[in-house]
Every structure is written in structure tokens, then in C-alpha cells.
PDB file of all heavy atoms in Angstrom:
ATOM      1  N   VAL A   1     171.954 129.089 -52.722  1.00 97.00           N
ATOM      2  CA  VAL A   1     171.676 127.693 -52.463  1.00 97.00           C
ATOM      3  C   VAL A   1     172.967 126.829 -52.426  1.00 97.00           C
ATOM      4  O   VAL A   1     173.762 126.879 -53.347  1.00 97.00           O
ATOM      5  CB  VAL A   1     170.687 127.125 -53.501  1.00 97.00           C
ATOM      6  CG1 VAL A   1     170.503 125.677 -53.304  1.00 97.00           C
ATOM      7  CG2 VAL A   1     169.392 127.973 -53.525  1.00 97.00           C
ATOM      8  N   GLN A   2     173.146 125.999 -51.399  1.00 97.00           N
ATOM      9  CA  GLN A   2     174.239 125.079 -51.220  1.00 97.00           C
ATOM     10  C   GLN A   2     173.655 123.680 -51.007  1.00 97.00           C
ATOM     11  O   GLN A   2     173.342 123.264 -49.992  1.00 97.00           O
ATOM     12  CB  GLN A   2     175.119 125.483 -50.059  1.00 97.00           C
ATOM     13  CG  GLN A   2     175.783 126.833 -50.243  1.00 97.00           C
ATOM     14  CD  GLN A   2     176.745 126.843 -51.172  1.00 97.00           C
ATOM     15  OE1 GLN A   2     177.525 125.923 -51.400  1.00 97.00           O
ATOM     16  NE2 GLN A   2     176.834 127.902 -51.936  1.00 97.00           N
ATOM     17  N   PRO A   3     173.500 122.900 -52.114  1.00 96.00           N
ATOM     18  CA  PRO A   3     173.067 121.600 -51.988  1.00 96.00           C
ATOM     19  C   PRO A   3     174.144 120.712 -51.295  1.00 96.00           C
ATOM     20  O   PRO A   3     175.325 121.008 -51.291  1.00 96.00           O
ATOM     21  CB  PRO A   3     172.912 121.000 -53.500  1.00 96.00           C
ATOM     22  CG  PRO A   3     172.914 122.305 -54.267  1.00 96.00           C
ATOM     23  CD  PRO A   3     173.725 123.265 -53.669  1.00 96.00           C
ATOM     24  N   HIS A   4     173.747 119.662 -50.517  1.00 97.00           N
ATOM     25  CA  HIS A   4     174.647 118.633 -49.966  1.00 97.00           C
ATOM     26  C   HIS A   4     175.520 118.078 -50.992  1.00 97.00           C
ATOM     27  O   HIS A   4     175.166 117.834 -52.198  1.00 97.00           O
ATOM     28  CB  HIS A   4     173.878 117.654 -49.286  1.00 97.00           C
ATOM     29  CG  HIS A   4     174.746 116.778 -48.369  1.00 97.00           C
ATOM     30  ND1 HIS A   4     175.330 115.653 -48.905  1.00 97.00           N
ATOM     31  CD2 HIS A   4     174.990 116.857 -47.015  1.00 97.00           C
ATOM     32  CE1 HIS A   4     175.952 115.072 -47.873  1.00 97.00           C
ATOM     33  NE2 HIS A   4     175.693 115.634 -46.729  1.00 97.00           N
ATOM     34  N   SER A   5     176.773 117.822 -50.686  1.00 93.00           N
ATOM     35  CA  SER A   5     177.672 117.263 -51.723  1.00 93.00           C
ATOM     36  C   SER A   5     177.317 115.998 -52.179  1.00 93.00           C
ATOM     37  O   SER A   5     177.665 115.519 -53.446  1.00 93.00           O
ATOM     38  CB  SER A   5     179.203 117.303 -51.157  1.00 93.00           C
ATOM     39  OG  SER A   5     179.218 116.400 -50.045  1.00 93.00           O
ATOM     40  N   ARG A   6     176.669 115.122 -51.425  1.00 93.00           N
ATOM     41  CA  ARG A   6     176.410 113.720 -51.848  1.00 93.00           C
ATOM     42  C   ARG A   6     174.931 113.631 -52.149  1.00 93.00           C
ATOM     43  O   ARG A   6     174.457 112.685 -53.029  1.00 93.00           O
ATOM     44  CB  ARG A   6     176.829 112.633 -50.890  1.00 93.00           C
ATOM     45  CG  ARG A   6     178.245 112.549 -50.842  1.00 93.00           C
ATOM     46  CD  ARG A   6     178.768 111.388 -49.935  1.00 93.00           C
ATOM     47  NE  ARG A   6     178.344 111.592 -48.576  1.00 93.00           N
ATOM     48  CZ  ARG A   6     179.151 112.156 -47.638  1.00 93.00           C
ATOM     49  NH1 ARG A   6     180.331 112.434 -47.846  1.00 93.00           N
ATOM     50  NH2 ARG A   6     178.654 112.302 -46.466  1.00 93.00           N
ATOM     51  N   SER A   7     174.060 114.255 -51.397  1.00 95.00           N
ATOM     52  CA  SER A   7     172.596 114.077 -51.562  1.00 95.00           C
ATOM     53  C   SER A   7     172.009 115.468 -52.058  1.00 95.00           C
ATOM     54  O   SER A   7     171.646 116.303 -51.219  1.00 95.00           O
ATOM     55  CB  SER A   7     171.948 113.727 -50.247  1.00 95.00           C
ATOM     56  OG  SER A   7     172.534 112.564 -49.782  1.00 95.00           O
ATOM     57  N   LYS A   8     171.935 115.634 -53.338  1.00 96.00           N
ATOM     58  CA  LYS A   8     171.571 116.932 -53.959  1.00 96.00           C
ATOM     59  C   LYS A   8     170.210 117.408 -53.635  1.00 96.00           C
ATOM     60  O   LYS A   8     169.934 118.548 -53.677  1.00 96.00           O
ATOM     61  CB  LYS A   8     171.772 116.815 -55.462  1.00 96.00           C
ATOM     62  CG  LYS A   8     173.202 116.501 -55.928  1.00 96.00           C
ATOM     63  CD  LYS A   8     174.265 117.618 -55.494  1.00 96.00           C
ATOM     64  CE  LYS A   8     175.604 117.170 -56.109  1.00 96.00           C
ATOM     65  NZ  LYS A   8     176.623 117.839 -55.443  1.00 96.00           N
ATOM     66  N   HIS A   9     169.329 116.521 -53.106  1.00 97.00           N
ATOM     67  CA  HIS A   9     167.923 116.854 -52.952  1.00 97.00           C
ATOM     68  C   HIS A   9     167.792 117.611 -51.479  1.00 97.00           C
ATOM     69  O   HIS A   9     166.824 118.109 -51.226  1.00 97.00           O
ATOM     70  CB  HIS A   9     167.040 115.696 -52.985  1.00 97.00           C
ATOM     71  CG  HIS A   9     167.109 114.759 -51.718  1.00 97.00           C
ATOM     72  ND1 HIS A   9     168.159 113.864 -51.644  1.00 97.00           N
ATOM     73  CD2 HIS A   9     166.411 114.484 -50.846  1.00 97.00           C
ATOM     74  CE1 HIS A   9     168.073 113.137 -50.484  1.00 97.00           C
ATOM     75  NE2 HIS A   9     166.938 113.602 -49.955  1.00 97.00           N
ATOM     76  N   ILE A  10     168.860 117.676 -50.774  1.00 98.00           N
ATOM     77  CA  ILE A  10     168.984 118.390 -49.598  1.00 98.00           C
ATOM     78  C   ILE A  10     169.992 119.412 -49.544  1.00 98.00           C
ATOM     79  O   ILE A  10     171.005 119.350 -50.236  1.00 98.00           O
ATOM     80  CB  ILE A  10     169.124 117.525 -48.264  1.00 98.00           C
ATOM     81  CG1 ILE A  10     170.403 116.744 -48.324  1.00 98.00           C
ATOM     82  CG2 ILE A  10     168.023 116.423 -48.079  1.00 98.00           C
ATOM     83  CD1 ILE A  10     170.747 115.875 -47.108  1.00 98.00           C
ATOM     84  N   GLY A  11     169.823 120.499 -48.709  1.00 98.00           N
ATOM     85  CA  GLY A  11     170.959 121.453 -48.412  1.00 98.00           C
ATOM     86  C   GLY A  11     170.587 122.595 -47.652  1.00 98.00           C
ATOM     87  O   GLY A  11     169.674 122.502 -46.796  1.00 98.00           O
ATOM     88  N   THR A  12     171.195 123.756 -48.027  1.00 98.00           N
ATOM     89  CA  THR A  12     171.113 124.982 -47.143  1.00 98.00           C
ATOM     90  C   THR A  12     170.813 126.046 -48.069  1.00 98.00           C
ATOM     91  O   THR A  12     171.248 126.305 -49.165  1.00 98.00           O
ATOM     92  CB  THR A  12     172.314 125.296 -46.419  1.00 98.00           C
ATOM     93  OG1 THR A  12     172.765 124.202 -45.605  1.00 98.00           O
ATOM     94  CG2 THR A  12     172.265 126.490 -45.638  1.00 98.00           C
ATOM     95  N   ILE A  13     169.793 127.004 -47.567  1.00 98.00           N
ATOM     96  CA  ILE A  13     169.456 128.244 -48.355  1.00 98.00           C
ATOM     97  C   ILE A  13     170.006 129.300 -47.433  1.00 98.00           C
ATOM     98  O   ILE A  13     169.498 129.292 -46.248  1.00 98.00           O
ATOM     99  CB  ILE A  13     167.907 128.344 -48.512  1.00 98.00           C
ATOM    100  CG1 ILE A  13     167.456 127.332 -49.424  1.00 98.00           C
ATOM    101  CG2 ILE A  13     167.555 129.701 -49.114  1.00 98.00           C
ATOM    102  CD1 ILE A  13     165.893 127.218 -49.615  1.00 98.00           C
ATOM    103  N   SER A  14     170.760 130.195 -47.907  1.00 97.00           N
ATOM    104  CA  SER A  14     171.265 131.351 -47.117  1.00 97.00           C
ATOM    105  C   SER A  14     171.147 132.645 -47.974  1.00 97.00           C
ATOM    106  O   SER A  14     172.048 132.917 -48.811  1.00 97.00           O
ATOM    107  CB  SER A  14     172.725 131.131 -46.744  1.00 97.00           C
ATOM    108  OG  SER A  14     173.505 130.764 -47.710  1.00 97.00           O
ATOM    109  N   PRO A  15     170.098 133.295 -47.747  1.00 95.00           N
ATOM    110  CA  PRO A  15     169.894 134.517 -48.593  1.00 95.00           C
ATOM    111  C   PRO A  15     170.869 135.666 -48.386  1.00 95.00           C
ATOM    112  O   PRO A  15     170.688 136.635 -49.124  1.00 95.00           O
ATOM    113  CB  PRO A  15     168.415 134.875 -48.249  1.00 95.00           C
ATOM    114  CG  PRO A  15     167.909 134.200 -47.037  1.00 95.00           C
ATOM    115  CD  PRO A  15     168.977 132.976 -46.929  1.00 95.00           C
ATOM    116  N   ASN A  16     171.584 135.629 -47.298  1.00 92.00           N
ATOM    117  CA  ASN A  16     172.474 136.593 -46.954  1.00 92.00           C
ATOM    118  C   ASN A  16     171.782 138.042 -46.952  1.00 92.00           C
ATOM    119  O   ASN A  16     170.952 138.349 -46.234  1.00 92.00           O
ATOM    120  CB  ASN A  16     173.713 136.680 -47.877  1.00 92.00           C
ATOM    121  CG  ASN A  16     174.496 135.426 -47.698  1.00 92.00           C
ATOM    122  OD1 ASN A  16     174.706 134.943 -46.570  1.00 92.00           O
ATOM    123  ND2 ASN A  16     174.819 134.690 -48.847  1.00 92.00           N
ATOM    124  N   ILE A  17     172.278 138.976 -47.906  1.00 91.00           N
ATOM    125  CA  ILE A  17     171.681 140.313 -47.935  1.00 91.00           C
ATOM    126  C   ILE A  17     170.585 140.430 -49.000  1.00 91.00           C
ATOM    127  O   ILE A  17     170.157 141.581 -49.154  1.00 91.00           O
ATOM    128  CB  ILE A  17     172.693 141.430 -48.113  1.00 91.00           C
ATOM    129  CG1 ILE A  17     173.519 141.275 -49.307  1.00 91.00           C
ATOM    130  CG2 ILE A  17     173.660 141.432 -46.847  1.00 91.00           C
ATOM    131  CD1 ILE A  17     174.378 142.472 -49.766  1.00 91.00           C
ATOM    132  N   TYR A  18     170.212 139.374 -49.695  1.00 92.00           N
ATOM    133  CA  TYR A  18     169.248 139.304 -50.768  1.00 92.00           C
ATOM    134  C   TYR A  18     167.854 139.623 -50.049  1.00 92.00           C
ATOM    135  O   TYR A  18     167.509 139.112 -49.051  1.00 92.00           O
ATOM    136  CB  TYR A  18     169.153 138.022 -51.451  1.00 92.00           C
ATOM    137  CG  TYR A  18     168.149 138.129 -52.575  1.00 92.00           C
ATOM    138  CD1 TYR A  18     168.458 138.534 -53.803  1.00 92.00           C
ATOM    139  CD2 TYR A  18     166.850 137.738 -52.314  1.00 92.00           C
ATOM    140  CE1 TYR A  18     167.505 138.581 -54.802  1.00 92.00           C
ATOM    141  CE2 TYR A  18     165.851 137.797 -53.245  1.00 92.00           C
ATOM    142  CZ  TYR A  18     166.254 138.255 -54.663  1.00 92.00           C
ATOM    143  OH  TYR A  18     165.363 138.241 -55.567  1.00 92.00           O
ATOM    144  N   VAL A  19     167.071 140.587 -50.623  1.00 93.00           N
ATOM    145  CA  VAL A  19     165.728 140.929 -50.177  1.00 93.00           C
ATOM    146  C   VAL A  19     164.769 140.906 -51.410  1.00 93.00           C
ATOM    147  O   VAL A  19     165.199 141.476 -52.377  1.00 93.00           O
ATOM    148  CB  VAL A  19     165.723 142.336 -49.473  1.00 93.00           C
ATOM    149  CG1 VAL A  19     164.351 142.771 -49.033  1.00 93.00           C
ATOM    150  CG2 VAL A  19     166.579 142.182 -48.143  1.00 93.00           C
ATOM    151  N   GLY A  20     163.644 140.427 -51.306  1.00 92.00           N
ATOM    152  CA  GLY A  20     162.740 140.440 -52.462  1.00 92.00           C
ATOM    153  C   GLY A  20     162.257 138.981 -52.720  1.00 92.00           C
ATOM    154  O   GLY A  20     162.447 138.020 -51.985  1.00 92.00           O
ATOM    155  N   THR A  21     161.634 138.804 -53.942  1.00 94.00           N
ATOM    156  CA  THR A  21     161.246 137.506 -54.288  1.00 94.00           C
ATOM    157  C   THR A  21     162.285 136.737 -54.960  1.00 94.00           C
ATOM    158  O   THR A  21     163.058 137.214 -55.831  1.00 94.00           O
ATOM    159  CB  THR A  21     160.052 137.648 -55.365  1.00 94.00           C
ATOM    160  OG1 THR A  21     159.083 138.377 -54.812  1.00 94.00           O
ATOM    161  CG2 THR A  21     159.616 136.160 -55.753  1.00 94.00           C
ATOM    162  N   LEU A  22     162.688 135.645 -54.339  1.00 95.00           N
ATOM    163  CA  LEU A  22     163.722 134.718 -54.734  1.00 95.00           C
ATOM    164  C   LEU A  22     163.132 133.597 -55.544  1.00 95.00           C
ATOM    165  O   LEU A  22     162.259 132.934 -55.314  1.00 95.00           O
ATOM    166  CB  LEU A  22     164.214 134.029 -53.378  1.00 95.00           C
ATOM    167  CG  LEU A  22     165.466 133.137 -53.545  1.00 95.00           C
ATOM    168  CD1 LEU A  22     166.709 133.912 -54.216  1.00 95.00           C
ATOM    169  CD2 LEU A  22     165.982 132.679 -52.186  1.00 95.00           C
ATOM    170  N   SER A  23     163.617 133.596 -56.838  1.00 96.00           N
ATOM    171  CA  SER A  23     163.244 132.552 -57.816  1.00 96.00           C
ATOM    172  C   SER A  23     164.303 131.453 -57.867  1.00 96.00           C
ATOM    173  O   SER A  23     165.322 131.773 -58.298  1.00 96.00           O
ATOM    174  CB  SER A  23     163.022 133.217 -59.246  1.00 96.00           C
ATOM    175  OG  SER A  23     162.174 134.256 -59.148  1.00 96.00           O
ATOM    176  N   LEU A  24     163.875 130.317 -57.635  1.00 97.00           N
ATOM    177  CA  LEU A  24     164.815 129.039 -57.459  1.00 97.00           C
ATOM    178  C   LEU A  24     164.543 128.157 -58.449  1.00 97.00           C
ATOM    179  O   LEU A  24     163.467 127.461 -58.331  1.00 97.00           O
ATOM    180  CB  LEU A  24     164.896 128.601 -56.047  1.00 97.00           C
ATOM    181  CG  LEU A  24     165.300 129.474 -54.897  1.00 97.00           C
ATOM    182  CD1 LEU A  24     165.117 128.761 -53.574  1.00 97.00           C
ATOM    183  CD2 LEU A  24     166.674 129.813 -55.002  1.00 97.00           C
ATOM    184  N   PRO A  25     165.309 127.989 -59.549  1.00 97.00           N
ATOM    185  CA  PRO A  25     164.977 126.861 -60.460  1.00 97.00           C
ATOM    186  C   PRO A  25     165.050 125.433 -59.844  1.00 97.00           C
ATOM    187  O   PRO A  25     165.892 125.211 -59.175  1.00 97.00           O
ATOM    188  CB  PRO A  25     166.137 127.052 -61.600  1.00 97.00           C
ATOM    189  CG  PRO A  25     166.567 128.376 -61.402  1.00 97.00           C
ATOM    190  CD  PRO A  25     166.406 128.672 -59.948  1.00 97.00           C
ATOM    191  N   VAL A  26     163.983 124.694 -60.201  1.00 98.00           N
ATOM    192  CA  VAL A  26     163.994 123.357 -59.836  1.00 98.00           C
ATOM    193  C   VAL A  26     164.332 122.361 -60.909  1.00 98.00           C
ATOM    194  O   VAL A  26     163.984 122.408 -61.985  1.00 98.00           O
ATOM    195  CB  VAL A  26     162.605 122.941 -59.182  1.00 98.00           C
ATOM    196  CG1 VAL A  26     162.420 121.545 -58.854  1.00 98.00           C
ATOM    197  CG2 VAL A  26     162.100 123.876 -58.140  1.00 98.00           C
ATOM    198  N   PHE A  27     165.177 121.491 -60.543  1.00 97.00           N
ATOM    199  CA  PHE A  27     165.714 120.432 -61.521  1.00 97.00           C
ATOM    200  C   PHE A  27     165.292 119.099 -61.106  1.00 97.00           C
ATOM    201  O   PHE A  27     165.166 118.582 -60.091  1.00 97.00           O
ATOM    202  CB  PHE A  27     167.289 120.520 -61.592  1.00 97.00           C
ATOM    203  CG  PHE A  27     167.801 121.793 -62.076  1.00 97.00           C
ATOM    204  CD1 PHE A  27     167.989 122.960 -61.255  1.00 97.00           C
ATOM    205  CD2 PHE A  27     168.182 121.852 -63.462  1.00 97.00           C
ATOM    206  CE1 PHE A  27     168.431 124.187 -61.805  1.00 97.00           C
ATOM    207  CE2 PHE A  27     168.675 123.124 -63.969  1.00 97.00           C
ATOM    208  CZ  PHE A  27     168.855 124.145 -63.184  1.00 97.00           C
ATOM    209  N   HIS A  28     164.918 118.418 -62.196  1.00 96.00           N
ATOM    210  CA  HIS A  28     164.671 116.868 -62.203  1.00 96.00           C
ATOM    211  C   HIS A  28     165.521 116.232 -63.094  1.00 96.00           C
ATOM    212  O   HIS A  28     165.588 116.469 -64.212  1.00 96.00           O
ATOM    213  CB  HIS A  28     163.225 116.584 -62.654  1.00 96.00           C
ATOM    214  CG  HIS A  28     162.825 115.215 -62.710  1.00 96.00           C
ATOM    215  ND1 HIS A  28     162.711 114.494 -63.757  1.00 96.00           N
ATOM    216  CD2 HIS A  28     162.535 114.452 -61.580  1.00 96.00           C
ATOM    217  CE1 HIS A  28     162.421 113.250 -63.447  1.00 96.00           C
ATOM    218  NE2 HIS A  28     162.178 113.153 -62.134  1.00 96.00           N
ATOM    219  N   ASN A  29     166.396 115.290 -62.429  1.00 91.00           N
ATOM    220  CA  ASN A  29     167.425 114.674 -63.274  1.00 91.00           C
ATOM    221  C   ASN A  29     168.194 115.551 -64.224  1.00 91.00           C
ATOM    222  O   ASN A  29     168.294 115.172 -65.286  1.00 91.00           O
ATOM    223  CB  ASN A  29     166.767 113.442 -63.988  1.00 91.00           C
ATOM    224  CG  ASN A  29     166.136 112.350 -62.996  1.00 91.00           C
ATOM    225  OD1 ASN A  29     166.637 112.198 -61.945  1.00 91.00           O
ATOM    226  ND2 ASN A  29     165.123 111.801 -63.448  1.00 91.00           N
ATOM    227  N   GLU A  30     168.627 116.592 -63.626  1.00 89.00           N
ATOM    228  CA  GLU A  30     169.525 117.582 -64.327  1.00 89.00           C
ATOM    229  C   GLU A  30     168.812 118.498 -65.360  1.00 89.00           C
ATOM    230  O   GLU A  30     169.412 119.205 -65.968  1.00 89.00           O
ATOM    231  CB  GLU A  30     170.760 116.815 -65.040  1.00 89.00           C
ATOM    232  CG  GLU A  30     171.590 116.012 -64.094  1.00 89.00           C
ATOM    233  CD  GLU A  30     172.333 116.907 -62.982  1.00 89.00           C
ATOM    234  OE1 GLU A  30     172.761 117.979 -63.329  1.00 89.00           O
ATOM    235  OE2 GLU A  30     172.352 116.525 -61.856  1.00 89.00           O
ATOM    236  N   LYS A  31     167.472 118.346 -65.486  1.00 96.00           N
ATOM    237  CA  LYS A  31     166.626 119.103 -66.448  1.00 96.00           C
ATOM    238  C   LYS A  31     165.838 120.138 -65.595  1.00 96.00           C
ATOM    239  O   LYS A  31     165.045 119.769 -64.723  1.00 96.00           O
ATOM    240  CB  LYS A  31     165.833 118.295 -67.342  1.00 96.00           C
ATOM    241  CG  LYS A  31     165.052 119.084 -68.288  1.00 96.00           C
ATOM    242  CD  LYS A  31     164.106 118.231 -69.102  1.00 96.00           C
ATOM    243  CE  LYS A  31     163.281 119.118 -70.028  1.00 96.00           C
ATOM    244  NZ  LYS A  31     162.286 118.406 -70.709  1.00 96.00           N
ATOM    245  N   GLU A  32     165.959 121.464 -65.930  1.00 97.00           N
ATOM    246  CA  GLU A  32     165.170 122.377 -65.211  1.00 97.00           C
ATOM    247  C   GLU A  32     163.640 122.122 -65.668  1.00 97.00           C
ATOM    248  O   GLU A  32     163.392 122.090 -66.765  1.00 97.00           O
ATOM    249  CB  GLU A  32     165.560 123.838 -65.598  1.00 97.00           C
ATOM    250  CG  GLU A  32     164.802 124.949 -64.774  1.00 97.00           C
ATOM    251  CD  GLU A  32     165.202 126.269 -65.114  1.00 97.00           C
ATOM    252  OE1 GLU A  32     166.337 126.521 -65.459  1.00 97.00           O
ATOM    253  OE2 GLU A  32     164.364 127.226 -64.947  1.00 97.00           O
ATOM    254  N   ILE A  33     162.761 122.103 -64.571  1.00 97.00           N
ATOM    255  CA  ILE A  33     161.246 121.933 -64.860  1.00 97.00           C
ATOM    256  C   ILE A  33     160.408 123.074 -64.482  1.00 97.00           C
ATOM    257  O   ILE A  33     159.313 123.032 -64.635  1.00 97.00           O
ATOM    258  CB  ILE A  33     160.850 120.564 -64.115  1.00 97.00           C
ATOM    259  CG1 ILE A  33     161.064 120.810 -62.616  1.00 97.00           C
ATOM    260  CG2 ILE A  33     161.551 119.413 -64.649  1.00 97.00           C
ATOM    261  CD1 ILE A  33     160.177 119.756 -61.834  1.00 97.00           C
ATOM    262  N   GLY A  34     160.984 124.033 -63.655  1.00 97.00           N
ATOM    263  CA  GLY A  34     160.275 125.134 -63.265  1.00 97.00           C
ATOM    264  C   GLY A  34     160.893 125.978 -62.087  1.00 97.00           C
ATOM    265  O   GLY A  34     161.989 125.647 -61.815  1.00 97.00           O
ATOM    266  N   ILE A  35     160.128 126.755 -61.503  1.00 97.00           N
ATOM    267  CA  ILE A  35     160.636 127.706 -60.504  1.00 97.00           C
ATOM    268  C   ILE A  35     159.940 127.530 -59.117  1.00 97.00           C
ATOM    269  O   ILE A  35     158.742 127.369 -59.135  1.00 97.00           O
ATOM    270  CB  ILE A  35     160.528 129.141 -60.960  1.00 97.00           C
ATOM    271  CG1 ILE A  35     161.197 129.383 -62.368  1.00 97.00           C
ATOM    272  CG2 ILE A  35     161.060 130.155 -59.917  1.00 97.00           C
ATOM    273  CD1 ILE A  35     162.720 129.215 -62.304  1.00 97.00           C
ATOM    274  N   ALA A  36     160.538 127.542 -58.120  1.00 97.00           N
ATOM    275  CA  ALA A  36     160.026 127.722 -56.767  1.00 97.00           C
ATOM    276  C   ALA A  36     160.247 129.041 -56.236  1.00 97.00           C
ATOM    277  O   ALA A  36     161.353 129.700 -56.488  1.00 97.00           O
ATOM    278  CB  ALA A  36     160.599 126.711 -55.653  1.00 97.00           C
ATOM    279  N   TYR A  37     159.236 129.717 -55.666  1.00 96.00           N
ATOM    280  CA  TYR A  37     159.337 131.070 -55.214  1.00 96.00           C
ATOM    281  C   TYR A  37     159.318 131.259 -53.744  1.00 96.00           C
ATOM    282  O   TYR A  37     158.458 130.704 -53.013  1.00 96.00           O
ATOM    283  CB  TYR A  37     158.223 131.964 -55.802  1.00 96.00           C
ATOM    284  CG  TYR A  37     158.286 131.985 -57.310  1.00 96.00           C
ATOM    285  CD1 TYR A  37     157.489 131.109 -58.060  1.00 96.00           C
ATOM    286  CD2 TYR A  37     159.137 132.873 -58.073  1.00 96.00           C
ATOM    287  CE1 TYR A  37     157.433 131.087 -59.509  1.00 96.00           C
ATOM    288  CE2 TYR A  37     159.108 132.860 -59.402  1.00 96.00           C
ATOM    289  CZ  TYR A  37     158.340 132.078 -60.140  1.00 96.00           C
ATOM    290  OH  TYR A  37     158.409 132.060 -61.509  1.00 96.00           O
ATOM    291  N   LEU A  38     160.294 131.983 -53.155  1.00 97.00           N
ATOM    292  CA  LEU A  38     160.315 132.323 -51.718  1.00 97.00           C
ATOM    293  C   LEU A  38     160.493 133.849 -51.713  1.00 97.00           C
ATOM    294  O   LEU A  38     161.208 134.443 -52.626  1.00 97.00           O
ATOM    295  CB  LEU A  38     161.513 131.626 -51.028  1.00 97.00           C
ATOM    296  CG  LEU A  38     161.615 130.189 -51.130  1.00 97.00           C
ATOM    297  CD1 LEU A  38     162.939 129.670 -50.672  1.00 97.00           C
ATOM    298  CD2 LEU A  38     160.384 129.566 -50.295  1.00 97.00           C
ATOM    299  N   GLU A  39     159.856 134.431 -50.611  1.00 95.00           N
ATOM    300  CA  GLU A  39     160.185 135.842 -50.418  1.00 95.00           C
ATOM    301  C   GLU A  39     161.133 136.018 -49.274  1.00 95.00           C
ATOM    302  O   GLU A  39     161.131 135.209 -48.270  1.00 95.00           O
ATOM    303  CB  GLU A  39     158.783 136.504 -49.966  1.00 95.00           C
ATOM    304  CG  GLU A  39     158.829 137.995 -49.875  1.00 95.00           C
ATOM    305  CD  GLU A  39     158.699 138.401 -51.388  1.00 95.00           C
ATOM    306  OE1 GLU A  39     158.247 137.803 -52.449  1.00 95.00           O
ATOM    307  OE2 GLU A  39     159.071 139.655 -51.660  1.00 95.00           O
ATOM    308  N   VAL A  40     162.059 136.894 -49.456  1.00 95.00           N
ATOM    309  CA  VAL A  40     163.036 137.192 -48.486  1.00 95.00           C
ATOM    310  C   VAL A  40     162.874 138.634 -47.832  1.00 95.00           C
ATOM    311  O   VAL A  40     162.859 139.569 -48.582  1.00 95.00           O
ATOM    312  CB  VAL A  40     164.531 137.115 -48.900  1.00 95.00           C
ATOM    313  CG1 VAL A  40     165.582 137.323 -47.894  1.00 95.00           C
ATOM    314  CG2 VAL A  40     164.713 135.708 -49.635  1.00 95.00           C
ATOM    315  N   GLN A  41     162.455 138.758 -46.548  1.00 92.00           N
ATOM    316  CA  GLN A  41     162.117 139.842 -45.932  1.00 92.00           C
ATOM    317  C   GLN A  41     163.406 140.520 -45.414  1.00 92.00           C
ATOM    318  O   GLN A  41     164.314 139.856 -44.969  1.00 92.00           O
ATOM    319  CB  GLN A  41     161.203 139.553 -44.699  1.00 92.00           C
ATOM    320  CG  GLN A  41     159.920 139.055 -45.012  1.00 92.00           C
ATOM    321  CD  GLN A  41     159.106 138.820 -43.739  1.00 92.00           C
ATOM    322  OE1 GLN A  41     159.569 139.183 -42.621  1.00 92.00           O
ATOM    323  NE2 GLN A  41     157.996 138.154 -43.871  1.00 92.00           N
ATOM    324  N   SER A  42     163.445 141.820 -45.323  1.00 90.00           N
ATOM    325  CA  SER A  42     164.597 142.670 -44.727  1.00 90.00           C
ATOM    326  C   SER A  42     164.585 142.558 -43.243  1.00 90.00           C
ATOM    327  O   SER A  42     163.423 142.559 -42.624  1.00 90.00           O
ATOM    328  CB  SER A  42     164.532 144.083 -45.257  1.00 90.00           C
ATOM    329  OG  SER A  42     165.325 144.843 -44.522  1.00 90.00           O
ATOM    330  N   VAL A  43     165.730 142.519 -42.658  1.00 85.00           N
ATOM    331  CA  VAL A  43     165.665 142.646 -41.197  1.00 85.00           C
ATOM    332  C   VAL A  43     165.709 144.109 -40.616  1.00 85.00           C
ATOM    333  O   VAL A  43     165.383 144.268 -39.450  1.00 85.00           O
ATOM    334  CB  VAL A  43     166.980 141.772 -40.520  1.00 85.00           C
ATOM    335  CG1 VAL A  43     166.895 140.255 -40.847  1.00 85.00           C
ATOM    336  CG2 VAL A  43     168.235 142.517 -41.098  1.00 85.00           C
TER     337      VAL A  43
END
């Protein structure tokens, strides 16, 4: 994950060679509040 340098609520996800369930911690005002899950399929 690469958040935008000025607007942290936007950015880029680039899983590269990662495959499987991706667990992304979600933060609210710098405090972790939980996890968002995405699946990354193999090409």
C-alpha cells in the first residue's frame, strides 16, 4: 500500500507477487480500528 503523500485516505494498492488473502489494517486518526480483507489471485 502506498498512500498519497498529502491525502492519506487515497492511494495505490500494488500486490506485486503476493497471492492469497491480504489483510490491510484500517486506521482512524492514527489508531488501528480493524482489518479490511482482499484476495489476491495468481496470474
Side-chain angles (χ1 to χ4, degrees):
V1 175
Q2 296 291 319
H4 187 275
S5 60
R6 288 186 299 265
S7 299
K8 303 294 184 202
H9 73 289
I10 63 174
T12 303
I13 298 172
S14 55
N16 299 315
I17 61 170
Y18 182 90
V19 173
T21 303
L22 182 59
S23 303
L24 299 173
V26 177
F27 291 83
H28 177 255
N29 295 326
E30 302 298 319
K31 180 182 176 193
E32 184 176 334
I33 62 162
I35 305 288
Y37 297 97
L38 300 171
E39 196 74 22
V40 182
Q41 299 179 7
S42 171
V43 295

